[in-house]
Amino acid sequence: MDKKIVLNHYNGNANKQQQLEVKKSLRIARTSKERGLIQPQAKLSMPAEILLITSYPPRECGIATYSQDLIQALSNKFSQSLQLKVCALESGEDTFSYPEEVKYTLKTFLPDGYAKLANAINLDPDIQIVLIQHEFGFFASQQQAFLDFINQLTKPLVIVFHTVLPRPDASLKTAVQQIAASCASVIVMTHNSMGILTHDYDVSRDKISVIAHGTHLVSFVSRAVLKKKYALGNRKILTTFGLLSRGKSIETTIEALPQIVSRFPDALFLVIGKTHPEVVKNDGEEYRESLEEKVKAYGLENHVQFINKYLPLPELLEYLQLTDIYLFTTNDPNQAVSGTFAYAMSCGCPVISTPIPHAREVLTKDTGIIFDFGNSGQLAEKVVDLLDHKKLRVSIRNNALQAMTATAWENSAISHALQFEQLSQGKIILTYNRPAINLAHFKAMTTRTGIVQFAKNNLPDMRSGYTLDDNARALIASCMHYKLMDDAKSMANIHVYFSFIKRCILPSGHFLNYMDTEFRFTEQNYATNLEDANGRALWALGYFISMSKILPEEMVAEASMLFKQAMGKAEKIHSTRAMAFVIKGLCFYYKTFSEPDVLDLIKSLANRLERMYKHESEANWKWFESSLTYANSLLPEAMLYAWQVTNDPLYRNIALNSLDFLLSKTFNDEGIAVVSNRGWMLKGEKPNRFGEQPIDVAYTVMALSAFYEEFKNDSYRDKMNIAFNWFLGRNYLHQIIYNPVTGGCYDGLEEKNVNLNQGAESTVSYLMARLTVEQYADSARHIKKTLSIT
C-alpha cells in the first residue's frame, strides 16, 4: 500500500518459522534474571519493533530533530534488541520524501486517518510498543480523534509530553488526564513538568519518568582554533540558534547590544538558523526583516551576524564550542524545555537565559545565569559582568558540562530502552552494541615521548606529565591491537611506549615512574612506593616478548635484556599486586623462552601469594588479604598463570576459589559493581558504594577471559560481557563511561555523575577491555551469518 496514505505495511521480517527453528536448535534460554548475560553473538530473535509517532525530518521542527536524534541513539546502542520505526505526522497537504525508517504517515488534520492508523498498528504483528512525541499543536484541530486513537490502541503506549502547562482549565486538565490514563508510561523532560503533572493534573507519580532532553557528545577543540577556522578572530561571541520566530525574542538581545558593545567593542552576536517554516508560511520573513531593521537603527551592523540557514550538526556544535556566552531569550514563560540551551550547555557554553521552567531547574548559580523576560537592560548587565570575569565563565562552563553529562543522547537511549524492556514483560532483552574500536583519543593523548597522564575533558593536560604505569599499559594495549588487527600503524605507538619504558629503567634494574614534559624524573618518584609501577613494567615487557613471532627481532632482544635486568629486583617485591603483575610478566616470558630461573621466580612469588591466601582465607572469605582493594581480579589471574606454567594444583585451586569469591562480591542481578575507591571492602563488613574505576572493570574483563580460555566455563564469558557492558551503560547510573565520539573513557563512576576527564589510565583500560572482548567477535559473526542463511 502507499506509504503516503497511512496504511503502508512494512515487509522486512525474515520467515518467523525459520527464526523459531534456529532458536530451538541453539537452545538459548532467556529469563529476566539473565538480562545482559546473553552474548551479542547469541541473540537470535528479531529486534522488537518500536513505533514512534512524531513529526520527522525532512519536516523542519524541533521535535522532528529530537526524534531523529533519539532514534539514531537507540539504534546505535541497541540495534540487536530494538528496531525503530516512525509514523510521521503531517500538518498540511505537503508531502515529504522520508527516510526508510518511516513506516506510516498521519495527516493530523484529517479525522478519518486516526482510526485507520490505530487499526493498522493493532494488526501489525511486529510493533511491540508505541511511543508518541506529544505537542498539543500537533493534534489541536482533532483532539477528540486523537483521544479516540490512543484509546483504540491495543499495544503498550508511552507518551512524551514536550509541553506541560501549569494551572490548566477544566478542559485541558481532563484531556491530559485522559491521555495519561491511556498510557502505560508518561515521560517528561524536567522534574518541574513532573511536579505539574502530579500537582495540577493529578497524574500518578508512579506512572511518570523524567528523561532529560538529549544532547550531543562533542570532541572538544580549542575555542581559539575554532574562531580562527570561522574567521572570527578574537571577538567576544554571543550566540543563539534555532528556527526563528517571534517567540525567540531576539530583539531583547539586539536592544541590549549597545550597552554591551560600549564595554566590549569586539562583541559579535550570531543569530543561527532559518525562519520557522510555519512562520514563513503565514508571515513570510517579516520577523527577520524587522530584526535586521532594528540592527540598522542601532548601528550594529558590525556586531550582529544572521546565519540564515540550517547548519549541519558538526558545524553547529563547533559554533557552540567557540561561543563565549549563549543567550536564550524566549518570551514564553510556559515553554517547558529547550533543546537549544541544553545543546549549548553540553558544548561548554556559559548560558544566560530567561526563567522558563527548564532554565530554573538546570541553571543554578554554579551552572548559568537567569534574567527576567524581555529585560534588555538586565541582560546587558549580566553579559558585561560575565565577559568581565573569565574565571567565572570557566567555572560555569565546567559545572555546566558536568551537569549535562547524564543528558547525552546515548544515556537518553539507555533510559528509553530500559522502559521498553520493562513494559515488554520479558519480550525485550537488551543487548548492548559494542562500539567500533576507536584509537582516536588514545593517539591524541600520545606525544613523541609517551602517553600523557591526565586530560581535561578530552584534551591532554600536558602539565600532568607522563608515568611508567600508563605507558606500560599503553604498550600492552598497542601490542594487543597489533596482534588482533594486524595494523602496521600500531607499530609507531609500540615504539613510543617501549622507548618510554627504556627511559625509566635505572642501571640497578629498578624503574622510576613519574616524568615531566622536560624528560625529568620528578620528586614524586622518591616519595611514593613504586613496586606496582615496577610490576607493571615487567608485565608489559613480558607480554611484549611473548609476541616475538610478529614483532621486530631486535626490539624483542632489547626487551629481553631489559626484562632480565629488572627481574633481578623482582625477588624483593612484596606488594601483593606488584607480585601479581610480575608473575604475569614472568609467565609470558617463560612461555616464550622456558628458562629455569624464571620458573623458580614464578614459584617463589606464587608461593608468597599462596601463603597470604592460606593466612587470610576462611569459610566465607576466600581471599589473600583482609580486604578487597584495587585491581582485585589480578590476583586470581596471576595464580591461574602460575598454575599454567608449573602445573601445581594448589595454585589452580586458589585461582578458582579466589575468583569465584571475588565474583560473588562484585556481580549482582544488575551487573558488576567493582570495589569503591572511596573505601575498601573489609572482611565482615558491607562494601562501600560508588567510586568505581574503569581500570578495575577492565582487569575483571581480562581475568574472566583468561579463565574462560582455560576452563571453557560459559559463566566466565557471560560475566566478561556483563563487565564490559559497564562501560556502555550497564552500571548503577545507567550512563556511558566510554565516550564513542572521542574514543576516550571517563575517569570514574561517582555517586551521582561520571568524571568527565578522559585520562590515560581510564582510556587505556577501556581499550584493553575492548580488545579482549574483540577476540570473540568471529563467533558472533558466524552466528549472525547462520541466522541470515536460515
Side-chain angles (χ1 to χ4, degrees):
M1 297 183 186
D2 189 346
K3 184 168 65 178
K4 294 178 182 177
I5 305 176
V6 86
L7 299 178
N8 156 57
H9 188 72
Y10 172 70
N11 293 310
N13 283 340
N15 182 284
K16 288 184 169 55
Q17 184 60 40
Q18 291 173 339
Q19 295 171 32
L20 292 172
E21 290 302 319
V22 174
K23 289 182 183 180
K24 182 178 179 181
S25 65
L26 293 179
R27 299 191 299 278
I28 301 295
R30 283 188 175 88
T31 67
S32 58
K33 289 187 177 180
E34 288 175 316
R35 184 176 71 194
L37 293 182
I38 298 172
Q39 301 154 25
Q41 61 268 26
K43 185 168 178 58
L44 300 179
S45 62
M46 294 293 289
E49 188 172 302
I50 312 297
L51 181 70
L52 275 73
I53 301 178
T54 178
S55 59
Y56 205 68
R59 179 177 175 180
E60 293 176 332
C61 156
I63 292 177
T65 304
Y66 172 94
S67 296
Q68 187 176 54
D69 287 338
L70 176 60
I71 285 174
Q72 183 174 353
L74 282 163
S75 297
N76 287 343
K77 293 290 293 182
F78 300 109
S79 62
Q80 299 173 83
S81 305
L82 305 173
Q83 184 176 46
L84 286 305
K85 293 295 179 180
V86 174
C87 171
L89 301 177
E90 297 180 349
S91 61
E93 295 296 342
D94 295 338
T95 58
F96 299 96
S97 177
Y98 288 111
E100 62 180 359
E101 60 266 24
V102 174
K103 183 173 186 177
Y104 302 105
T105 61
L106 173 66
K107 292 192 178 296
T108 54
F109 58 92
L110 298 177
D112 293 346
Y114 290 87
K116 292 178 181 179
L117 176 62
N119 187 54
I121 292 171
N122 291 339
L123 294 176
D124 190 327
D126 300 323
I127 296 173
Q128 301 297 313
I129 293 172
V130 177
L131 176 70
I132 299 177
Q133 304 292 346
H134 182 274
E135 182 63 68
F136 285 99
F138 284 163
F139 311 105
S141 66
Q142 297 296 336
Q143 185 65 39
Q144 188 57 52
F146 173 72
L147 291 173
D148 293 341
F149 163 73
I150 59 176
N151 284 319
Q152 188 179 342
L153 290 176
T154 58
K155 305 292 175 77
L157 174 62
V158 180
I159 198 153
V160 182
F161 281 120
H162 285 255
T163 297
V164 181
L165 298 173
R167 300 176 297 279
D169 59 24
S171 175
L172 177 59
K173 181 174 182 177
T174 299
V176 170
Q177 288 177 331
Q178 289 175 335
I179 293 170
S182 300
C183 299
S185 175
V186 173
I187 295 174
V188 293
M189 298 184 194
T190 66
H191 291 277
N192 178 77
S193 293
M194 180 171 70
I196 294 172
L197 279 180
T198 55
H199 183 266
D200 293 7
Y201 293 88
D202 300 323
V203 177
S204 171
R205 183 177 292 264
D206 293 339
K207 183 174 275 193
I208 306 170
S209 298
V210 177
I211 303 179
H213 192 296
T215 57
H216 293 280
L217 296 171
V218 297
S219 181
F220 286 97
V221 181
S222 161
R223 182 177 285 113
V225 169
L226 290 175
K227 286 184 178 181
K228 182 177 180 180
K229 176 178 177 179
Y230 291 99
L232 295 172
N234 294 318
R235 301 189 71 171
K236 299 288 191 298
I237 304 300
L238 314 174
T239 301
T240 194
F241 86 91
L243 294 172
L244 203 61
S245 68
R246 292 189 183 277
K248 299 285 187 184
S249 193
I250 304 299
E251 62 272 15
T252 301
T253 301
I254 294 174
E255 292 166 4
L257 276 176
Q259 185 176 340
I260 296 169
V261 169
S262 68
R263 177 66 179 82
F264 293 97
D266 58 349
L268 176 64
F269 178 39
L270 302 180
V271 183
I272 301 173
K274 299 168 60 175
T275 303
H276 197 291
E278 295 298 318
V279 173
V280 172
K281 186 185 300 183
N282 297 320
D283 303 318
E285 292 288 356
E286 179 182 314
Y287 179 57
R288 181 182 297 276
E289 290 167 359
S290 73
L291 295 175
E292 291 171 344
E293 287 299 319
K294 189 177 285 287
V295 168
K296 290 178 182 178
Y298 281 102
L300 294 170
E301 292 92 333
N302 294 326
H303 299 281
V304 179
Q305 181 178 337
F306 290 91
I307 303 176
N308 184 14
K309 62 179 181 178
Y310 173 83
L311 292 183
L313 180 63
E315 189 175 345
L316 172 63
L317 296 179
E318 287 190 337
Y319 267 107
L320 291 175
Q321 285 188 72
L322 64 79
T323 295
D324 292 286
I325 302 176
Y326 185 83
L327 304 177
F328 183 77
T329 56
T330 181
N331 56 19
D332 180 4
N334 292 321
Q335 183 173 343
V337 67
S338 166
T340 62
F341 89 67
Y343 279 22
M345 290 179 70
S346 69
C347 287
C349 296
V351 173
I352 300 179
S353 171
T354 49
I356 66 167
H358 191 189
R360 293 200 308 269
E361 185 168 312
V362 174
L363 298 182
T364 67
K365 63 182 178 64
D366 298 318
T367 58
I369 295 172
I370 289 177
F371 76 103
D372 294 333
F373 292 105
N375 193 329
S376 297
Q378 191 180 78
L379 173 61
E381 291 173 3
K382 292 184 180 296
V383 170
V384 168
D385 184 63
L386 194 52
L387 288 176
D388 254 335
H389 294 88
K390 183 177 179 180
K391 286 186 178 179
L392 178 59
R393 294 202 307 276
V394 171
S395 174
I396 289 175
R397 174 185 188 273
N398 292 336
N399 292 333
L401 284 173
Q402 189 64 72
M404 299 305 289
T405 306
T407 69
W409 279 116
E410 289 76 4
N411 294 329
S412 179
I414 293 168
S415 296
H416 281 85
L418 289 172
Q419 282 226 3
F420 300 153
E421 184 182 46
Q422 183 179 13
L423 290 175
S424 75
Q425 298 181 331
K427 294 179 182 178
I428 297 174
I429 299 174
L430 294 180
T431 299
Y432 291 77
N433 293 342
R434 291 176 186 165
I437 295 170
N438 181 357
L439 301 184
H441 187 59
F442 183 68
K443 292 179 178 179
M445 291 287 290
T446 299
T447 69
R448 288 179 294 178
T449 301
I451 192 164
V452 179
Q453 183 176 192
F454 296 142
K456 293 183 177 179
N457 294 311
N458 64 290
L459 299 176
D461 181 4
M462 297 305 301
R463 293 177 300 178
S464 67
Y466 307 90
T467 69
L468 174 64
D469 287 333
D470 293 328
N471 282 274
R473 284 186 288 256
L475 178 63
I476 293 169
S478 293
C479 288
M480 291 173 69
H481 187 264
Y482 182 61
K483 178 180 179 182
L484 195 62
M485 311 303 291
D486 193 24
D487 183 1
K489 294 180 181 178
S490 296
M491 280 306 305
N493 286 332
I494 288 173
H495 277 285
V496 169
Y497 308 131
F498 181 59
S499 296
F500 188 91
I501 292 175
K502 289 193 295 182
R503 286 177 184 265
C504 292
I505 195 167
L506 300 175
S508 64
H510 183 75
F511 289 94
L512 296 180
N513 189 30
Y514 302 98
M515 181 188 293
D516 65 20
T517 55
E518 301 298 322
F519 313 125
R520 297 173 301 205
F521 290 106
T522 68
E523 291 299 317
Q524 194 173 356
N525 287 291
Y526 309 103
T528 307
N529 187 322
L530 300 183
E531 285 195 350
D532 278 7
N534 278 257
R536 290 188 188 96
L538 279 165
W539 172 31
L541 289 171
Y543 185 75
F544 182 91
I545 292 163
S546 73
M547 292 175 56
S548 59
K549 292 181 179 179
I550 61 174
L551 291 175
E553 184 177 341
E554 64 277 10
M555 289 183 70
V556 173
E558 190 173 11
S560 298
M561 291 177 59
L562 292 174
F563 188 91
K564 296 305 291 281
Q565 182 182 355
M567 197 180 87
K569 291 289 184 180
E571 178 67 33
K572 297 180 181 179
I573 288 177
H574 289 275
S575 168
T576 310
R577 280 145 193 83
M579 288 191 292
F581 284 126
V582 173
I583 289 172
K584 288 184 65 175
L586 291 169
C587 289
F588 280 122
Y589 183 95
Y590 184 77
K591 290 177 181 178
T592 306
F593 292 119
S594 302
E595 295 174 2
D597 60 332
V598 175
L599 183 63
D600 289 342
L601 184 53
I602 292 170
K603 291 179 179 179
S604 176
L605 295 175
N607 286 339
R608 287 184 199 169
L609 291 180
E610 180 269 325
R611 289 192 294 272
M612 294 176 67
Y613 180 84
K614 184 177 180 180
H615 181 266
E616 291 293 341
S617 179
E618 299 174 359
N620 297 317
W621 189 265
K622 303 293 184 180
W623 199 242
F624 305 83
E625 300 163 312
S626 60
S627 61
L628 292 173
T629 59
Y630 65 98
N632 294 298
S633 58
L634 180 66
L635 304 185
E637 186 185 12
M639 296 304 285
L640 172 68
Y641 278 47
W643 167 64
Q644 288 173 335
V645 299
T646 65
N647 292 317
D648 188 327
L650 183 58
Y651 299 161
R652 177 185 184 275
N653 292 338
I654 292 174
L656 288 168
N657 290 335
S658 60
L659 179 70
D660 288 347
F661 167 76
L662 178 63
L663 299 180
S664 74
K665 297 298 183 182
T666 52
F667 282 81
N668 53 53
D669 288 343
E670 298 303 314
I672 185 173
V674 293
V675 175
S676 168
N677 67 346
R678 294 188 179 185
W680 308 134
M681 184 187 299
L682 303 178
K683 184 189 295 186
E685 296 186 8
K686 292 183 178 180
N688 290 294
R689 294 200 63 195
F690 317 122
E692 298 179 29
Q693 299 299 297
I695 192 168
D696 288 317
V697 179
Y699 283 160
T700 302
V701 169
M702 298 173 77
L704 286 164
S705 173
F707 275 81
Y708 173 75
E709 290 300 317
E710 179 61 42
F711 299 107
K712 301 303 179 186
N713 183 330
D714 287 342
S715 70
Y716 292 142
R717 186 168 169 180
D718 292 340
K719 286 184 170 61
M720 178 193 72
N721 286 310
I722 292 172
F724 182 76
N725 286 345
W726 179 90
F727 291 100
L728 308 183
R730 191 177 174 187
N731 49 60
Y732 61 78
L733 287 183
H734 303 300
Q735 293 184 28
I736 56 169
I737 309 299
Y738 169 70
N739 184 319
V741 171
T742 65
C745 180
Y746 296 133
D747 279 351
L749 182 68
E750 306 302 336
E751 181 176 358
K752 296 181 180 179
N753 59 272
V754 299
N755 182 333
L756 288 181
N757 296 327
Q758 299 162 51
E761 179 183 290
S762 55
T763 294
V764 177
S765 295
Y766 168 80
L767 182 56
M768 290 193 295
R770 179 64 185 88
L771 292 167
T772 298
V773 298
E774 183 65 15
Q775 299 174 77
Y776 306 97
D778 285 344
S779 59
R781 284 190 285 267
H782 173 73
I783 289 184
K784 287 179 181 178
K785 183 178 180 181
T786 300
L787 287 175
S788 66
I789 292 172
T790 58

